[in-house]
Amino acid sequence: MHKLLIFHNEKLLRRALTHRSYVHENPGEGEHNERLEFLGDALLNFLSGEYLYKCHPEMGEDELTRRRSALVDEKQLAKFAEEVGLDFRMRLGKGAIRDGGYQNPNLLSSTFEAVLGAYYLDNDSNIEAVRAIIEPLFDSVDSKNIIVSRSNVDSKNRFQEWVQRNVTPNPPKYFTEQIGGPSHAPEFIAKVLVDEKIYGEGKGRNKKDAEKAAAEDALAKLKQQSILKDAVARLKQQGFL
């Protein structure tokens, strides 16, 4: 078994492997893994950024950002989850299993994040223990496969590129807060600002999803403004305005 799954605290590992659907069907089984997923996501973002920064001293921020998005996207994390044997160890509800949960990239990637968060806690919050696990997985990814097309770039990165190309060299700022929902299923809203002006808003079940939704809203509004601007220009050319 891969060393990622060797835990001192087996209860912590079990929680990391437990999806919400399993707890719903087995209420006595304790917590699901979403808080650990949040922690693992934060660790992955830092470690992947540090890894690429060290490996590619020649690259600028835009290219590093694109590569980080590809290195820790849902598809890639799902592959990592399978490599370390998490697929059939996930604790899923019967409905999720019937729907092909063991092969679901979203469930696999989320569980992988949760296990990393749990492993960090299991090792007395020592990030070196997580780095020792994750960097060999990063090394296993063909560098050519990290180069992604524009269409696959995360919405937050696409919006940042537009802002830095057209408005300001400073990246957009996101302000996110919980607006409702019970503790086990919170709802967040995010606003994205550029030079103190709101460009988009979005909601999600966690801060990451809400911020992505805000970026997508901003991109959709920019596209609509562009369409409107082109339409006005055509009307002027045709003498209607």
Side-chain angles (χ1 to χ4, degrees):
M1 182 63 66
H2 194 283
K3 63 180 178 179
L4 177 63
L5 297 182
I6 298 178
F7 275 66
H8 304 293
N9 184 347
E10 285 294 323
K11 290 183 179 179
L12 196 57
L13 173 60
R14 189 159 59 250
R15 189 197 315 165
L17 294 170
T18 302
H19 185 250
R20 174 192 295 276
S21 62
Y22 187 89
V23 174
H24 181 73
E25 294 180 11
N26 303 274
E29 285 296 318
E31 295 181 58
H32 53 68
N33 62 9
E34 289 178 11
R35 280 176 53 83
L36 290 171
E37 177 190 344
F38 168 82
L39 178 59
D41 173 67
L43 290 166
L44 268 173
N45 272 309
F46 171 72
L47 289 170
S48 60
E50 181 192 54
Y51 173 83
L52 291 168
Y53 184 86
K54 289 189 299 184
C55 291
H56 300 285
E58 78 287 357
M59 286 185 182
E61 179 189 4
D62 288 351
E63 180 62 20
L64 287 171
T65 299
R66 282 192 290 269
R67 287 187 174 233
R68 181 176 61 184
S69 293
L71 191 58
V72 296
D73 71 5
E74 181 180 284
K75 183 178 179 181
Q76 186 60 61
L77 294 185
K79 290 181 180 178
F80 290 159
E82 291 176 340
E83 286 181 33
V84 300
L86 294 184
D87 42 5
F88 290 104
R89 295 197 67 182
M90 293 189 296
R91 304 174 84 209
L92 306 176
K94 295 177 182 177
I97 294 173
R98 280 196 304 270
D99 292 338
Y102 290 130
Q103 291 79 41
N104 184 306
N106 178 265
L107 295 182
L108 285 164
S109 63
S110 297
T111 303
F112 182 77
E113 290 176 334
V115 169
L116 281 188
Y119 193 73
Y120 172 75
L121 296 178
D122 193 58
N123 284 273
D124 298 322
S125 301
N126 181 4
I127 199 169
E128 296 303 322
V130 183
R131 182 183 283 111
I133 292 297
I134 197 64
E135 288 198 350
L137 291 172
F138 289 160
D139 287 339
S140 71
V141 180
D142 184 348
S143 61
K144 293 179 181 178
N145 290 336
I146 303 180
I147 302 173
V148 292
S149 68
R150 183 176 179 80
S151 62
N152 290 329
V153 175
D154 179 272
S155 53
K156 287 180 66 175
N157 298 326
R158 293 207 312 274
F159 182 57
Q160 180 172 322
E161 286 180 9
W162 182 89
V163 168
Q164 293 179 324
R165 189 169 58 246
N166 296 282
V167 183
T168 172
N170 300 318
K173 293 182 179 179
Y174 291 85
F175 294 91
T176 310
E177 61 180 346
Q178 184 175 342
I179 57 171
S183 59
H184 65 278
E187 184 178 24
F188 292 86
I189 187 169
K191 297 179 181 179
V192 58
L193 283 71
V194 178
D195 289 343
E196 308 305 319
K197 177 183 176 183
I198 296 176
Y199 272 68
E201 296 185 13
K203 295 180 180 179
R205 67 180 183 85
N206 55 45
K207 289 185 177 182
K208 181 171 65 174
D209 287 348
E211 290 176 0
K212 284 185 177 180
E216 288 165 3
D217 181 49
L219 290 168
K221 288 176 178 176
L222 290 172
K223 184 177 180 180
Q224 190 63 37
Q225 289 172 8
S226 177
I227 292 171
L228 181 60
K229 184 177 179 181
D230 290 345
V232 170
R234 286 197 299 272
L235 288 172
K236 285 182 177 179
Q237 287 178 347
Q238 295 167 6
F240 292 105
L241 292 175

